[in-house]
């Protein structure tokens, strides 16, 4: 009986370790096929200004930079206060993704802080859209 309890405890610890480790694997920032995105809503975190982008050419231009960004989990974003930009991506079915850009190399996604790997986000182009 004791062996079963020890084995189950070891199995639980291993599963938790694997799940935690997998969450730190680098991943693409944009989770949806960029061709399916029909609208992007952006909010400037400094001014509160809100912009909706529905022009397919502007969407493609904005996503050209973002689609190549790879991110890796850093730490809990619960401590993060504020952001430069909030982006919401939509397909025909509704909102599919939402994230904040705190710095050209820092993303907040699902209450977790991520750092970009290899490339920075072109915040100059995003600012131009406001």
């Amino acid at each position: 009986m004791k062996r079963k309890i020890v084995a189950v405890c070891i199995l639980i610890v291993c599963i938790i370790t694997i799940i935690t480790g997998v969450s730190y694997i680098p991943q693409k920032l944009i989770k949806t096929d960029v061709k399916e995105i029909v609208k992007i809503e952006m909010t400037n975190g400094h001014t509160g200004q809100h912009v909706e982008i529905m022009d397919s050419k502007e969407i493609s231009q904005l996503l050209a930079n973002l689609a190549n960004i790879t991110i890796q989990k850093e730490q809990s974003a619960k401590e993060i206060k504020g952001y430069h930009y909030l982006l919401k991506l939509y397909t025909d079915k509704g909102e599919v993704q939402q994230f904040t850009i705190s710095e050209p190399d820092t993303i907040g996604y699902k209450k977790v802080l991520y750092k970009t790997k290899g490339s920075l986000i072109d915040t100059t182009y995003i600012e131009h859209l406001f």
Side-chain angles (χ1 to χ4, degrees):
M1 184 68 173
K2 279 188 171 184
R3 286 185 185 183
K4 285 184 180 183
I5 293 172
V6 170
V8 169
C9 289
I10 290 172
L11 182 62
I12 290 171
V13 169
C14 288
I15 290 171
I16 291 171
T17 302
I18 290 170
I19 290 171
T20 302
V22 167
S23 72
Y24 283 90
I25 293 175
Q27 55 188 298
K28 289 289 189 181
L29 172 60
I30 304 298
K31 312 285 187 210
T32 306
D33 182 0
V34 296
K35 294 175 184 169
E36 293 181 21
I37 297 174
V38 296
K39 179 173 90 169
I40 300 174
E41 289 182 359
M42 298 191 318
T43 303
N44 184 315
H46 298 289
T47 65
Q49 188 176 1
H50 181 80
V51 174
E52 282 188 6
I53 300 171
M54 298 179 74
D55 179 66
S56 60
K57 195 173 184 179
E58 285 185 354
I59 290 172
S60 295
Q61 181 118 13
L62 177 59
L63 294 179
N65 175 251
L66 297 176
N68 295 323
I69 300 292
T70 300
I71 56 174
Q72 185 172 17
K73 185 177 181 180
E74 284 290 313
Q75 63 188 23
S76 171
K78 292 178 183 173
E79 303 164 9
I80 297 174
K81 294 188 167 81
Y83 54 84
H84 290 298
Y85 306 102
L86 166 67
L87 280 78
K88 294 181 182 180
L89 309 179
Y90 294 84
T91 64
D92 289 333
K93 297 178 182 177
E95 184 180 321
V96 292
Q97 189 175 356
Q98 173 180 315
F99 58 90
T100 59
I101 300 172
S102 299
E103 296 293 331
D105 69 341
T106 308
I107 304 292
Y109 179 64
K110 293 187 177 181
K111 296 185 180 182
V112 177
L113 184 66
Y114 291 84
K115 289 288 188 176
T116 62
K117 297 293 171 196
S119 301
L120 298 176
I121 296 172
D122 185 1
T123 55
T124 306
Y125 180 74
I126 295 172
E127 180 62 34
H128 160 73
L129 295 171
F130 283 94

